[in-house]
Amino acid sequence: MTTYDERANLSDLSATAGEVRRCVESVIEGKPEAVRLSLTVLLAEGHLLIEDVPGVGKTMLAKALARSVDCSVRRIQFTPDLLPSDITGVSVYDQQRKDFEFKPGAVFAQVVIGDEINRASPKTQSALLESMEERQVTIDGQTYELPDPFMVVATQNPVEMEGTYPLPEAQRDRFMARISLGYPSPSAELEMLDVHGSASPLEDLQPVAHAHDIVKLIETVRRVHVADAVRRYAVELVAATRAHPDLRLGASPRATLHLLRASRAAAALAGREFALPDDVQALAVPVLAHRLLPTAQAQLNRRTAEQVAAEILQRVPVPAFGSGPGHGHGAGPGAGAPPGAYGQPQQPGRPPTGAGGRPPTGQPRGF
């Protein structure tokens, strides 16, 4: 078990995460938000789903993130003929030992890249369910633990593309966040031609962090304080998805947990020991949208899950700064949080959080 002295502090986290970010951005040009969210998911012990049209760098982002950390990496090309045993492993009879021997599958790695995951059948996709949730694999009644850290980075094409199967709801719910890279700007695409035109920079990419460093950073993220007001705000956002008239399936309690963990990681990457409602707001759409199923009428009206999630963010009130018991979103001492804004310790000379006693809205500052 990791002791307190072995854990990293926020300055170590910012330095290591900054090195990994710069390493990934040397390969992926013009997508700093996608890189930041990828790091957030990694430090929040989640799994990442990258969805977009072919050729925009989905697999390149997954490979760059994996190669930036010195850990075991396995890539799985999902195809219609892929079997579940190709992912989890299989027991093979050993003639010399007169016994079955387990041959681990591709999932036994610290970073698993699932390329075009929705080209395999739902039966094969379900082979990842246990590993993504419980970080273990059960074969023939025997349970095998997966290495730490463990992260699945999957890419998929839009379901409108030929030869794709839609991801089952249970599979999508296990991904902490979904991102879309989109087409690069003309300047970023021009820079891409200069960098990738003659050789792939991915081949020269060297690790800038070790797997045990990431484990220490994850321990640091776990210590980030989340006040009761911020927790309630996350719960209210998720609850609003379950009652929205344009949705036939809202977000699950697992989504609430993922939103909380991602908010902790975002706060740590911003150099804070406490999470703000801004962290929850910035992550709500990428964490919740892929779990939501619009109604048939909403689909006819061309309402996307992202639009509904953004609308919910506008409707659910943000907790007020420093309100106490009886104020609904109280974060003061009477509400069970330590003194200060959303639980951060008061320090001499600390600048005010925001005008009028409320924290500034918008996305949290990067690292």
mmCIF file of all heavy atoms in Angstrom, residues 58-90:
data_model
loop_
_atom_site.group_PDB
_atom_site.id
_atom_site.type_symbol
_atom_site.label_atom_id
_atom_site.label_comp_id
_atom_site.label_asym_id
_atom_site.label_seq_id
_atom_site.Cartn_x
_atom_site.Cartn_y
_atom_site.Cartn_z
ATOM 1 N N LYS A 58 -7.546 9.787 -34.090
ATOM 2 C CA LYS A 58 -8.041 9.126 -32.873
ATOM 3 C C LYS A 58 -7.010 8.123 -32.340
ATOM 4 O O LYS A 58 -6.629 8.161 -31.163
ATOM 5 C CB LYS A 58 -9.366 8.410 -33.162
ATOM 6 C CG LYS A 58 -10.476 9.302 -33.670
ATOM 7 C CD LYS A 58 -11.796 8.568 -33.779
ATOM 8 C CE LYS A 58 -11.754 7.386 -34.730
ATOM 9 N NZ LYS A 58 -11.516 7.805 -36.131
ATOM 10 N N THR A 59 -6.572 7.227 -33.212
ATOM 11 C CA THR A 59 -5.596 6.220 -32.785
ATOM 12 C C THR A 59 -4.257 6.860 -32.455
ATOM 13 O O THR A 59 -3.549 6.423 -31.542
ATOM 14 C CB THR A 59 -5.423 5.158 -33.879
ATOM 15 O OG1 THR A 59 -6.714 4.630 -34.233
ATOM 16 C CG2 THR A 59 -4.538 4.027 -33.411
ATOM 17 N N MET A 60 -3.896 7.916 -33.161
ATOM 18 C CA MET A 60 -2.639 8.615 -32.889
ATOM 19 C C MET A 60 -2.638 9.205 -31.486
ATOM 20 O O MET A 60 -1.624 9.135 -30.768
ATOM 21 C CB MET A 60 -2.426 9.720 -33.918
ATOM 22 C CG MET A 60 -1.073 10.395 -33.846
ATOM 23 S SD MET A 60 0.267 9.356 -34.439
ATOM 24 C CE MET A 60 -0.075 9.346 -36.202
ATOM 25 N N LEU A 61 -3.763 9.775 -31.063
ATOM 26 C CA LEU A 61 -3.864 10.314 -29.709
ATOM 27 C C LEU A 61 -3.733 9.206 -28.678
ATOM 28 O O LEU A 61 -3.024 9.358 -27.667
ATOM 29 C CB LEU A 61 -5.194 11.053 -29.534
ATOM 30 C CG LEU A 61 -5.534 11.532 -28.117
ATOM 31 C CD1 LEU A 61 -4.467 12.481 -27.598
ATOM 32 C CD2 LEU A 61 -6.903 12.200 -28.082
ATOM 33 N N ALA A 62 -4.405 8.090 -28.905
ATOM 34 C CA ALA A 62 -4.335 6.973 -27.965
ATOM 35 C C ALA A 62 -2.911 6.437 -27.864
ATOM 36 O O ALA A 62 -2.402 6.168 -26.764
ATOM 37 C CB ALA A 62 -5.300 5.866 -28.395
ATOM 38 N N LYS A 63 -2.233 6.280 -28.994
ATOM 39 C CA LYS A 63 -0.857 5.777 -28.985
ATOM 40 C C LYS A 63 0.098 6.767 -28.330
ATOM 41 O O LYS A 63 1.003 6.375 -27.577
ATOM 42 C CB LYS A 63 -0.410 5.485 -30.410
ATOM 43 C CG LYS A 63 -0.999 4.225 -31.019
ATOM 44 C CD LYS A 63 -0.394 3.977 -32.393
ATOM 45 C CE LYS A 63 -0.862 2.664 -32.982
ATOM 46 N NZ LYS A 63 -0.249 2.414 -34.315
ATOM 47 N N ALA A 64 -0.079 8.050 -28.611
ATOM 48 C CA ALA A 64 0.808 9.058 -28.033
ATOM 49 C C ALA A 64 0.677 9.098 -26.517
ATOM 50 O O ALA A 64 1.680 9.209 -25.801
ATOM 51 C CB ALA A 64 0.502 10.425 -28.633
ATOM 52 N N LEU A 65 -0.552 8.994 -26.013
ATOM 53 C CA LEU A 65 -0.758 8.980 -24.568
ATOM 54 C C LEU A 65 -0.120 7.748 -23.954
ATOM 55 O O LEU A 65 0.508 7.825 -22.887
ATOM 56 C CB LEU A 65 -2.254 9.028 -24.258
ATOM 57 C CG LEU A 65 -2.650 9.014 -22.786
ATOM 58 C CD1 LEU A 65 -2.115 10.260 -22.083
ATOM 59 C CD2 LEU A 65 -4.159 8.933 -22.623
ATOM 60 N N ALA A 66 -0.266 6.600 -24.613
ATOM 61 C CA ALA A 66 0.292 5.360 -24.075
ATOM 62 C C ALA A 66 1.815 5.377 -24.090
ATOM 63 O O ALA A 66 2.464 4.937 -23.135
ATOM 64 C CB ALA A 66 -0.236 4.175 -24.875
ATOM 65 N N ARG A 67 2.423 5.900 -25.168
ATOM 66 C CA ARG A 67 3.882 5.901 -25.271
ATOM 67 C C ARG A 67 4.540 6.971 -24.412
ATOM 68 O O ARG A 67 5.751 6.910 -24.176
ATOM 69 C CB ARG A 67 4.292 6.100 -26.728
ATOM 70 C CG ARG A 67 3.922 4.935 -27.630
ATOM 71 C CD ARG A 67 4.617 5.024 -28.973
ATOM 72 N NE ARG A 67 4.240 3.931 -29.855
ATOM 73 C CZ ARG A 67 4.791 3.700 -31.039
ATOM 74 N NH1 ARG A 67 5.748 4.499 -31.480
ATOM 75 N NH2 ARG A 67 4.388 2.693 -31.783
ATOM 76 N N SER A 68 3.778 7.947 -23.956
ATOM 77 C CA SER A 68 4.347 8.979 -23.100
ATOM 78 C C SER A 68 4.621 8.469 -21.696
ATOM 79 O O SER A 68 5.348 9.110 -20.929
ATOM 80 C CB SER A 68 3.408 10.193 -23.041
ATOM 81 O OG SER A 68 3.225 10.751 -24.326
ATOM 82 N N VAL A 69 4.030 7.340 -21.351
ATOM 83 C CA VAL A 69 4.217 6.738 -20.029
ATOM 84 C C VAL A 69 4.891 5.386 -20.218
ATOM 85 O O VAL A 69 4.480 4.586 -21.073
ATOM 86 C CB VAL A 69 2.867 6.573 -19.296
ATOM 87 C CG1 VAL A 69 3.082 5.956 -17.920
ATOM 88 C CG2 VAL A 69 2.156 7.910 -19.184
ATOM 89 N N ASP A 70 5.932 5.132 -19.433
ATOM 90 C CA ASP A 70 6.675 3.879 -19.533
ATOM 91 C C ASP A 70 5.886 2.779 -18.837
ATOM 92 O O ASP A 70 6.068 2.513 -17.651
ATOM 93 C CB ASP A 70 8.055 4.033 -18.900
ATOM 94 C CG ASP A 70 8.934 2.806 -19.131
ATOM 95 O OD1 ASP A 70 8.559 1.978 -19.987
ATOM 96 O OD2 ASP A 70 9.964 2.678 -18.467
ATOM 97 N N CYS A 71 4.974 2.150 -19.578
ATOM 98 C CA CYS A 71 4.147 1.089 -19.032
ATOM 99 C C CYS A 71 3.826 0.095 -20.144
ATOM 100 O O CYS A 71 4.138 0.322 -21.314
ATOM 101 C CB CYS A 71 2.863 1.648 -18.415
ATOM 102 S SG CYS A 71 1.801 2.511 -19.591
ATOM 103 N N SER A 72 3.207 -1.009 -19.771
ATOM 104 C CA SER A 72 2.861 -2.021 -20.766
ATOM 105 C C SER A 72 1.657 -1.548 -21.581
ATOM 106 O O SER A 72 0.685 -1.027 -21.041
ATOM 107 C CB SER A 72 2.537 -3.352 -20.081
ATOM 108 O OG SER A 72 1.479 -3.194 -19.144
ATOM 109 N N VAL A 73 1.745 -1.717 -22.900
ATOM 110 C CA VAL A 73 0.708 -1.253 -23.821
ATOM 111 C C VAL A 73 0.368 -2.388 -24.775
ATOM 112 O O VAL A 73 1.263 -3.054 -25.319
ATOM 113 C CB VAL A 73 1.187 -0.016 -24.629
ATOM 114 C CG1 VAL A 73 0.079 0.461 -25.568
ATOM 115 C CG2 VAL A 73 1.624 1.100 -23.698
ATOM 116 N N ARG A 74 -0.920 -2.619 -24.956
ATOM 117 C CA ARG A 74 -1.392 -3.594 -25.936
ATOM 118 C C ARG A 74 -2.461 -2.939 -26.797
ATOM 119 O O ARG A 74 -3.321 -2.217 -26.283
ATOM 120 C CB ARG A 74 -1.967 -4.840 -25.248
ATOM 121 C CG ARG A 74 -0.975 -5.610 -24.417
ATOM 122 C CD ARG A 74 0.069 -6.328 -25.256
ATOM 123 N NE ARG A 74 -0.507 -7.372 -26.077
ATOM 124 C CZ ARG A 74 -0.705 -8.627 -25.675
ATOM 125 N NH1 ARG A 74 -0.376 -8.962 -24.424
ATOM 126 N NH2 ARG A 74 -1.201 -9.523 -26.486
ATOM 127 N N ARG A 75 -2.395 -3.225 -28.078
ATOM 128 C CA ARG A 75 -3.371 -2.672 -29.011
ATOM 129 C C ARG A 75 -4.229 -3.797 -29.561
ATOM 130 O O ARG A 75 -3.718 -4.845 -29.967
ATOM 131 C CB ARG A 75 -2.664 -1.944 -30.157
ATOM 132 C CG ARG A 75 -3.597 -1.326 -31.195
ATOM 133 C CD ARG A 75 -2.780 -0.628 -32.268
ATOM 134 N NE ARG A 75 -3.612 0.012 -33.280
ATOM 135 C CZ ARG A 75 -4.037 -0.585 -34.377
ATOM 136 N NH1 ARG A 75 -3.724 -1.854 -34.602
ATOM 137 N NH2 ARG A 75 -4.786 0.062 -35.254
ATOM 138 N N ILE A 76 -5.535 -3.580 -29.592
ATOM 139 C CA ILE A 76 -6.482 -4.555 -30.110
ATOM 140 C C ILE A 76 -7.215 -3.924 -31.290
ATOM 141 O O ILE A 76 -7.867 -2.886 -31.128
ATOM 142 C CB ILE A 76 -7.507 -4.995 -29.040
ATOM 143 C CG1 ILE A 76 -6.807 -5.466 -27.770
ATOM 144 C CG2 ILE A 76 -8.406 -6.096 -29.591
ATOM 145 C CD1 ILE A 76 -7.758 -5.740 -26.621
ATOM 146 N N GLN A 77 -7.086 -4.527 -32.448
ATOM 147 C CA GLN A 77 -7.838 -4.070 -33.613
ATOM 148 C C GLN A 77 -9.169 -4.830 -33.631
ATOM 149 O O GLN A 77 -9.207 -6.027 -33.895
ATOM 150 C CB GLN A 77 -7.064 -4.329 -34.900
ATOM 151 C CG GLN A 77 -7.797 -3.877 -36.157
ATOM 152 C CD GLN A 77 -7.994 -2.367 -36.185
ATOM 153 O OE1 GLN A 77 -7.038 -1.612 -36.048
ATOM 154 N NE2 GLN A 77 -9.231 -1.936 -36.363
ATOM 155 N N PHE A 78 -10.246 -4.133 -33.320
ATOM 156 C CA PHE A 78 -11.554 -4.771 -33.258
ATOM 157 C C PHE A 78 -12.081 -4.993 -34.674
ATOM 158 O O PHE A 78 -12.194 -4.052 -35.465
ATOM 159 C CB PHE A 78 -12.526 -3.922 -32.448
ATOM 160 C CG PHE A 78 -12.341 -4.055 -30.970
ATOM 161 C CD1 PHE A 78 -11.287 -3.425 -30.320
ATOM 162 C CD2 PHE A 78 -13.211 -4.814 -30.209
ATOM 163 C CE1 PHE A 78 -11.105 -3.553 -28.960
ATOM 164 C CE2 PHE A 78 -13.042 -4.953 -28.840
ATOM 165 C CZ PHE A 78 -11.988 -4.317 -28.216
ATOM 166 N N THR A 79 -12.399 -6.243 -34.968
ATOM 167 C CA THR A 79 -12.936 -6.634 -36.263
ATOM 168 C C THR A 79 -14.145 -7.533 -36.037
ATOM 169 O O THR A 79 -14.332 -8.075 -34.930
ATOM 170 C CB THR A 79 -11.872 -7.396 -37.085
ATOM 171 O OG1 THR A 79 -11.401 -8.521 -36.316
ATOM 172 C CG2 THR A 79 -10.695 -6.490 -37.426
ATOM 173 N N PRO A 80 -14.984 -7.741 -37.053
ATOM 174 C CA PRO A 80 -16.180 -8.581 -36.860
ATOM 175 C C PRO A 80 -15.870 -10.013 -36.440
ATOM 176 O O PRO A 80 -16.705 -10.656 -35.792
ATOM 177 C CB PRO A 80 -16.858 -8.541 -38.242
ATOM 178 C CG PRO A 80 -16.426 -7.242 -38.836
ATOM 179 C CD PRO A 80 -15.015 -7.040 -38.355
ATOM 180 N N ASP A 81 -14.682 -10.541 -36.787
ATOM 181 C CA ASP A 81 -14.369 -11.927 -36.434
ATOM 182 C C ASP A 81 -13.566 -12.042 -35.137
ATOM 183 O O ASP A 81 -13.113 -13.138 -34.778
ATOM 184 C CB ASP A 81 -13.595 -12.602 -37.574
ATOM 185 C CG ASP A 81 -12.280 -11.898 -37.885
ATOM 186 O OD1 ASP A 81 -12.099 -10.756 -37.425
ATOM 187 O OD2 ASP A 81 -11.448 -12.490 -38.593
ATOM 188 N N LEU A 82 -13.386 -10.944 -34.418
ATOM 189 C CA LEU A 82 -12.663 -10.987 -33.141
ATOM 190 C C LEU A 82 -13.504 -11.717 -32.102
ATOM 191 O O LEU A 82 -14.711 -11.492 -31.978
ATOM 192 C CB LEU A 82 -12.355 -9.566 -32.668
ATOM 193 C CG LEU A 82 -11.421 -9.432 -31.469
ATOM 194 C CD1 LEU A 82 -10.000 -9.816 -31.841
ATOM 195 C CD2 LEU A 82 -11.457 -8.004 -30.913
ATOM 196 N N LEU A 83 -12.863 -12.601 -31.335
ATOM 197 C CA LEU A 83 -13.550 -13.390 -30.315
ATOM 198 C C LEU A 83 -13.272 -12.829 -28.923
ATOM 199 O O LEU A 83 -12.220 -12.210 -28.692
ATOM 200 C CB LEU A 83 -13.091 -14.847 -30.379
ATOM 201 C CG LEU A 83 -13.376 -15.601 -31.682
ATOM 202 C CD1 LEU A 83 -12.786 -17.001 -31.627
ATOM 203 C CD2 LEU A 83 -14.872 -15.650 -31.952
ATOM 204 N N PRO A 84 -14.180 -13.049 -27.969
ATOM 205 C CA PRO A 84 -13.920 -12.583 -26.597
ATOM 206 C C PRO A 84 -12.634 -13.140 -26.011
ATOM 207 O O PRO A 84 -11.935 -12.453 -25.260
ATOM 208 C CB PRO A 84 -15.156 -13.074 -25.830
ATOM 209 C CG PRO A 84 -16.230 -13.185 -26.859
ATOM 210 C CD PRO A 84 -15.540 -13.598 -28.120
ATOM 211 N N SER A 85 -12.292 -14.398 -26.345
ATOM 212 C CA SER A 85 -11.072 -14.995 -25.808
ATOM 213 C C SER A 85 -9.817 -14.308 -26.339
ATOM 214 O O SER A 85 -8.764 -14.361 -25.696
ATOM 215 C CB SER A 85 -11.023 -16.485 -26.146
ATOM 216 O OG SER A 85 -11.086 -16.690 -27.553
ATOM 217 N N ASP A 86 -9.907 -13.660 -27.501
ATOM 218 C CA ASP A 86 -8.764 -12.906 -28.013
ATOM 219 C C ASP A 86 -8.446 -11.712 -27.115
ATOM 220 O O ASP A 86 -7.314 -11.216 -27.107
ATOM 221 C CB ASP A 86 -9.036 -12.408 -29.436
ATOM 222 C CG ASP A 86 -9.217 -13.546 -30.423
ATOM 223 O OD1 ASP A 86 -8.600 -14.605 -30.206
ATOM 224 O OD2 ASP A 86 -9.991 -13.376 -31.382
ATOM 225 N N ILE A 87 -9.430 -11.240 -26.379
ATOM 226 C CA ILE A 87 -9.265 -10.086 -25.501
ATOM 227 C C ILE A 87 -8.878 -10.524 -24.090
ATOM 228 O O ILE A 87 -7.913 -10.029 -23.507
ATOM 229 C CB ILE A 87 -10.547 -9.241 -25.471
ATOM 230 C CG1 ILE A 87 -10.864 -8.716 -26.865
ATOM 231 C CG2 ILE A 87 -10.426 -8.098 -24.477
ATOM 232 C CD1 ILE A 87 -12.173 -7.967 -26.957
ATOM 233 N N THR A 88 -9.635 -11.461 -23.527
ATOM 234 C CA THR A 88 -9.439 -11.840 -22.134
ATOM 235 C C THR A 88 -8.387 -12.916 -21.949
ATOM 236 O O THR A 88 -7.726 -12.983 -20.910
ATOM 237 C CB THR A 88 -10.765 -12.329 -21.535
ATOM 238 O OG1 THR A 88 -11.241 -13.453 -22.302
ATOM 239 C CG2 THR A 88 -11.809 -11.233 -21.567
ATOM 240 N N GLY A 89 -8.226 -13.803 -22.938
ATOM 241 C CA GLY A 89 -7.317 -14.928 -22.796
ATOM 242 C C GLY A 89 -8.071 -16.244 -22.807
ATOM 243 O O GLY A 89 -9.308 -16.280 -22.812
ATOM 244 N N VAL A 90 -7.318 -17.333 -22.777
ATOM 245 C CA VAL A 90 -7.932 -18.656 -22.872
ATOM 246 C C VAL A 90 -7.068 -19.665 -22.131
ATOM 247 O O VAL A 90 -5.842 -19.500 -22.018
ATOM 248 C CB VAL A 90 -8.111 -19.063 -24.354
ATOM 249 C CG1 VAL A 90 -6.754 -19.211 -25.035
ATOM 250 C CG2 VAL A 90 -8.936 -20.313 -24.496
#
